[in-house]
Amino acid sequence: MKFLDIFAGIGGFRLGLEMAGHECVGHIEWDKFAQESYNAMHEIKEDEYCGWDIQEVRARELPRADIWTFGFPCQDISSASYAHTDATGLAGTRSGLFWEMAKTFRLVGKIIGRKPTVLLENVAALFRQDRQSDMGLILGTLASEWGHTEWDCVGAGTVGAPHHRARAYIFADDRSLGRSRFFPNEILRQPEYDCWKDVRCPTAVPERSSLYPSKLCRGNDGARKRLHAIGNGNPPCVIRELTRGIE
């Protein structure tokens, strides 16, 4: 299937979707440094759509895609924001860009007569009790536009990564497509990764008895580089497993 990578960052969604056999037809990213990393890390096709600001894109110019992926800014929602008094949720200037996406959804739906399947990712803090109003607004908006919405909190450790990194994932699509569920049982029931074991390169990791998170992330044994490559905000391995069966 073809997908459009929105709020692309350095391409966590893209890497996971391509590993699952899907094709990228365009991406949108505002940060110039993330753009540079994205261009260096991925094979950008000559005819690929490249957008900059989601607030300025024109719906008619967006490429036709079966899936839209986006992890809109989390700064006004994340747990870190609660260290300040200006945690404004979806009313914030950054996390509030979700509403720009909702507006674009409606326009594209009117132009082409249907809406693409949406896969949204953000911080697990959306499941906090004091963030339920934001979660309700997101789910309500998506459900009113598509009719079928699913969500769950998935940790990277459930698909084989040596770190937890739980994130909120939300799917939305047209109910008429008849898809029953997006989250495979294998993901929801698989236990978290055990004892920080790294099956990709076990010889480069210290003995488990002395392996604790701070040493793993700061040591000079190469584990830090591997964790960084796996993905921080949006682990590609999770996206791969969530989308490998979509047709």
Side-chain angles (χ1 to χ4, degrees):
M1 299 180 73
K2 296 181 178 181
F3 66 91
L4 178 61
D5 194 5
I6 307 169
F7 296 111
I10 63 172
F13 264 119
R14 180 175 188 144
L15 181 57
L17 279 152
E18 289 182 338
M19 287 191 294
H22 304 293
E23 176 189 358
C24 184
V25 295
H27 64 277
I28 302 172
E29 174 52 47
W30 178 78
D31 185 89
K32 66 176 183 179
F33 299 110
Q35 283 183 344
E36 291 177 1
S37 297
Y38 193 101
N39 293 334
M41 294 170 61
H42 305 284
E43 296 181 4
I44 310 300
K45 299 181 290 292
E46 291 185 4
D47 59 346
E48 184 172 319
Y49 175 87
C50 299
W52 179 67
D53 189 346
I54 190 61
Q55 300 178 90
E56 297 181 2
V57 299
R58 296 182 178 181
R60 291 186 179 275
E61 297 177 355
L62 294 176
R64 298 295 182 261
D66 304 298
I67 308 172
W68 281 13
T69 64
F70 68 100
F72 64 94
C74 68
Q75 289 92 334
D76 300 311
I77 296 174
S78 68
S79 298
S81 68
Y82 287 88
H84 309 281
T85 58
D86 58 348
T88 50
L90 291 181
T93 57
R94 293 166 293 185
S95 297
L97 288 173
F98 169 80
W99 301 115
E100 290 292 331
M101 286 305 311
K103 180 176 68 176
T104 305
F105 293 153
R106 298 187 184 99
L107 291 174
V108 169
K110 292 179 180 179
I111 293 170
I112 67 175
R114 67 174 182 82
K115 301 180 183 70
T117 296
V118 164
L119 173 54
L120 179 156
E121 171 271 338
N122 213 288
V123 291
L126 278 173
F127 292 98
R128 288 169 47 136
Q129 185 173 2
D130 50 7
R131 287 266 67 91
Q132 286 183 353
S133 60
D134 289 328
M135 187 65 167
L137 286 170
I138 292 172
L139 294 177
T141 300
L142 296 177
S144 66
E145 293 294 326
W146 278 265
H148 179 209
T149 306
E150 292 185 32
W151 64 95
D152 213 312
C153 183
V154 181
T158 62
V159 296
H163 61 314
H164 180 59
R165 200 61 183 180
R167 311 293 287 181
Y169 295 94
I170 304 173
F171 276 103
D173 74 345
D174 192 327
R175 189 181 297 278
S176 65
L177 294 176
R179 294 194 179 107
S180 59
R181 63 191 311 275
F182 284 100
F183 293 92
N185 288 331
E186 293 78 10
I187 289 180
L188 301 183
R189 296 175 182 173
Q190 184 176 343
E192 288 292 332
Y193 214 80
D194 185 41
C195 296
W196 296 90
K197 181 182 177 183
D198 188 344
V199 297
R200 284 173 296 279
C201 189
T203 58
V205 180
E207 293 295 326
R208 294 185 190 179
S209 60
S210 62
L211 186 60
Y212 51 93
S214 61
K215 182 173 182 178
L216 182 65
C217 295
R218 299 174 186 171
N220 296 319
D221 54 21
R224 174 177 58 181
K225 291 183 178 179
R226 290 198 304 282
L227 280 178
H228 180 71
I230 290 168
N232 186 19
N234 186 15
C237 54
V238 174
I239 302 302
R240 177 196 63 207
E241 296 305 313
L242 290 179
T243 62
R244 68 163 68 243
I246 298 180
E247 299 179 354

